[in-house]
């Protein structure tokens, strides 16, 4: 497709731009091209530059990974300056250049966003999350993994204004404690997926409140939550009948006595039963798996 486009800009084949831009080129042709190639097309002529700018203004999804992590600040601002219809925004691992100054104008003019990915964007501040909460009432999915600037006040703002949230990733948001998580789940009862992984401040109170407030919960990641214990896992089993997966690796206070309830229901767990773990370790030591009657 890109080859056809490039041939179409020659004088002998200059018919591409004669097609209706908004009815044909933007929704049916340009949408199939990688963003990197579209940006290259801007340099062909002034007419192509205008066409690509029209496309960018009507783009529903922007994913920085299509360009690369090192987007110049000015280029990012220019790409989205006219866009007010974004539905998905993915800016993961843009910590080298993305700050509030670049992000807030984009958030402020796009009120239809329902997916935002900010994993690893370390230079943002709590103001970014407040802006998201005030501008994106229809937000469904939000990833703030490894964003240590997320604090309890900004999370409360999110909970107050984005009650349709279904998936939130708070992995390694180390400022957050049980109280902030409890407030979030009380307000956002539609949650289906929640990650609280790698947070030593999260304990049983947050897990139990999540279980009681979010009956639609399907996926919960508690990896490395050292304060989580058996009691909260039992509450999770009692209140979340739709739970499909639970991650508790490195949760040293969670034992098989509570996990077995979920295991019997077919919930996917990231830790093996004790006997299975022992067999794996034994196989590593002796080089083969001994036969054991598991029905004994």
């Amino acid at each position: 497709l890109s080859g056809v486009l490039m041939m179409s800009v020659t004088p002998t084949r200059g018919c591409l731009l004669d097609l209706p831009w908004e009815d044909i080129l933007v929704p049916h042709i340009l949408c199939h091209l990688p963003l990197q190639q579209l940006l290259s097309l801007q340099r062909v002529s002034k007419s192509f530059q205008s066409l690509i700018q029209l496309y960018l203004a009507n783009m529903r999804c922007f994913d920085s990974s299509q360009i690369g992590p090192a987007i110049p600040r000015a280029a990012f601002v220019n790409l989205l300056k006219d866009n007010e219809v974004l539905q998905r925004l993915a800016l993961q691992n843009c910590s080298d250049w993305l700050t509030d100054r670049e992000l807030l104008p984009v958030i402020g003019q796009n009120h239809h966003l329902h997916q935002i990915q900010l994993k690893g964007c370390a230079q943002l501040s709590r103001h970014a999350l407040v802006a998201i909460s005030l501008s994106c009432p229809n937000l469904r999915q939000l990833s703030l993994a490894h964003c240590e600037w997320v604090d309890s006040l900004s999370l409360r703002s999110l909970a107050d204004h984005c009650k349709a949230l279904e998936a939130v990733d708070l992995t390694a948001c180390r400022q957050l404690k049980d109280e902030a998580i409890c407030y979030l789940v009380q307000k956002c009862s539609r949650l289906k997926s929640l990650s609280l992984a790698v947070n030593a401040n999260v304990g049983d109170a947050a897990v139990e409140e999540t279980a009681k407030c979010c009956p639609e919960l399907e996926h919960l990641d508690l990896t490395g939550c050292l304060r989580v214990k058996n009691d909260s896992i039992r509450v999770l089993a009692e209140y979340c009948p739709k739970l499909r997966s639970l991650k508790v690796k490195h949760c040293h206070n969670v034992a098989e006595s509570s996990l077995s309830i979920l295991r019997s229901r077919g919930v996917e767990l990231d830790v093996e039963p004790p006997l299975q773990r022992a067999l794996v370790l034994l196989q590593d030591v002796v080089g083969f798996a001994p036969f054991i009657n598991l029905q004994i």
Side-chain angles (χ1 to χ4, degrees), residues 118-131:
L118 296 175
K119 178 182 178 181
C121 293
Q123 290 195 56
L124 298 175
S125 77
R126 60 184 302 273
H127 300 295
L129 186 53
V130 172

Side-chain angles (χ1 to χ4, degrees), residues 157-171:
S157 179
L158 179 74
D160 285 335
H161 296 93
C162 299
K163 298 179 181 179
L165 278 166
E166 296 179 355
V168 179
D169 188 345
L170 299 173
T171 299

Side-chain angles (χ1 to χ4, degrees), residues 7-28:
M7 287 190 295
S8 298
V9 302
T10 62
T12 58
R13 302 188 180 218
C15 59
L16 179 68
L17 294 174
D18 295 334
L19 295 172
W21 288 16
E22 294 192 41
D23 296 330
I24 301 296
L25 292 182
V26 170
H28 298 295

Side-chain angles (χ1 to χ4, degrees), residues 45-85:
S45 69
K46 288 185 178 179
S47 294
F48 264 92
Q49 184 179 23
S50 298
L51 173 61
I52 301 307
Q53 286 177 344
L54 176 65
Y55 173 81
L56 294 172
N58 289 276
M59 188 166 49
R60 298 295 197 272
C61 174
F62 180 84
D63 187 342
S64 62
S65 66
Q66 294 184 7
I67 304 175
I71 308 173
R73 285 186 172 92
F76 171 75
V77 172
N78 186 61
L79 285 174
L80 296 178
K81 62 182 175 62
D82 298 321
N83 193 306
E84 298 180 357
V85 294

